[in-house]
Amino acid sequence: MFEANSLKSRSIRTASSSSALLLAFAAFAIAGCGGKKTNSVNPASLGPAAPTVSAPTANLTADPLAIDLGQSVVLNWRTTNATDVSIDGVGKVNSNGTQTVSPSTSTNFHLTATGDGGTAEANVRVTVRVPVAPAAPADTASATVTAPDMGSDEVFHQNVADIFFDYDSDTLRPDAQASASKAASYLSAHPDIHIIVGGYCDDRGSAEYNLALGENRANAAKTALVNAGVAASRIRVVSYGKEKQFCTDETEACWQQNRRAQFTLDR
């Protein structure tokens, strides 16, 4: 009787275990068949984003925009995002810079700046005034030729004094304005006189920078004379930069002597 009960108990436990295993297998089968696996995309597999390329920019100016034949102009240009820059009539140039040119006719300066982002262009036109020769008199045989009254160098320099500038400046000071007014009065009274205005700088700074600064100073002096009534065709401008020094001491008093616009007779 005891063995029969024991056998019956073991049969019940075996059946229970079998049922539990069947239920677990059924649940695993349902989960495996009913679920859907989702494949995710790795952003790194798409590769790096393309870099942004900026388009070039270009700017070109000229000072002054109008000159008499034989005078010079300072070209000034600025570019960004450019690997190759050129100016028609000048050639390849740096990305940024200045250059003095002396066109013989009115010229349209064209700048092209090329980079990875494309091409940019800039233009500036310089007008060159060419003097017209006066017509010959009808009766040249009887015409009397009169020598122009150029005056003496001593009297000229007494009335047409040099103009001086502050450091790194091309602006006329009050004393320079007074000198320009006196010079204009003398030149107006002597219409046969033609002059050269030379621009000078002290020896600090690069040769290229001082050449442009010297020309700006000479042009500032010329503008003051023209505004006071002197014909622009009587004035010729030239820049010596820092190449010709009036004084060689390394002092402010000496440097001041070298920062000037000098007037001479153009014979």
Side-chain angles (χ1 to χ4, degrees):
M1 181 68 178
F2 176 78
E3 291 182 354
N5 288 335
S6 177
L7 179 61
K8 183 179 180 179
S9 175
R10 283 198 300 271
S11 298
I12 292 172
R13 286 198 300 271
T14 300
S16 297
S17 298
S18 299
S19 298
L21 287 173
L22 287 174
L23 289 173
F25 177 78
F28 177 78
I30 292 172
C33 295
K36 184 177 182 180
K37 185 177 182 180
T38 302
N39 293 325
S40 60
V41 177
N42 183 2
S45 65
L46 300 178
T52 301
V53 179
S54 299
T57 65
N59 178 263
L60 175 64
T61 61
D63 183 27
L65 291 173
I67 60 172
D68 295 326
L69 181 62
Q71 295 179 343
S72 300
V73 172
V74 177
L75 298 179
N76 187 305
W77 64 91
R78 295 289 182 270
T79 68
T80 61
N81 306 317
T83 56
D84 184 84
V85 182
S86 63
I87 301 176
D88 292 353
V90 177
K92 288 186 178 295
V93 294
N94 294 330
S95 299
N96 303 296
T98 62
Q99 183 159 333
T100 301
V101 295
S102 300
S104 58
T105 60
S106 296
T107 303
N108 183 57
F109 289 96
H110 177 76
L111 179 147
T112 302
T114 304
D116 294 337
T119 300
E121 300 180 44
N123 296 276
V124 65
R125 181 169 179 79
V126 175
T127 301
V128 178
R129 297 182 290 262
V130 180
V132 179
D139 186 4
T140 56
S142 61
T144 302
V145 178
T146 303
D149 179 17
M150 296 293 287
S152 67
D153 286 340
E154 181 180 359
V155 175
F156 173 80
H157 288 297
Q158 288 175 356
N159 292 275
V160 184
D162 294 351
I163 288 175
F164 296 90
F165 295 85
D166 290 332
Y167 173 66
D168 198 27
S169 172
D170 57 13
T171 302
L172 266 65
R173 304 182 311 210
D175 61 312
Q177 292 284 1
S179 295
S181 297
K182 181 180 178 181
S185 298
Y186 177 80
L187 294 172
S188 296
H190 298 78
D192 291 329
I193 291 179
H194 287 65
I195 64 172
I196 300 174
V197 185
Y200 296 83
C201 305
D202 63 42
D203 61 358
R204 293 172 292 180
S206 68
E208 181 183 50
Y209 179 84
N210 281 299
L211 191 65
L213 179 59
E215 186 155 1
N216 289 341
R217 287 172 174 171
N219 278 314
K222 175 184 176 180
T223 299
L225 295 178
V226 172
N227 290 340
V230 181
S233 58
R234 298 171 58 191
I235 308 170
R236 190 155 57 95
V237 169
V238 63
S239 175
Y240 297 102
K242 66 175 184 177
E243 300 306 316
K244 294 186 178 181
Q245 298 287 294
F246 294 86
C247 178
T248 57
D249 295 336
E250 296 296 315
T251 64
E252 176 56 35
C254 179
W255 288 327
Q256 175 63 96
Q257 291 298 310
N258 294 323
R259 300 193 299 262
R260 72 170 73 190
Q262 185 184 52
F263 302 97
T264 55
L265 288 168
D266 190 5
R267 297 187 182 277

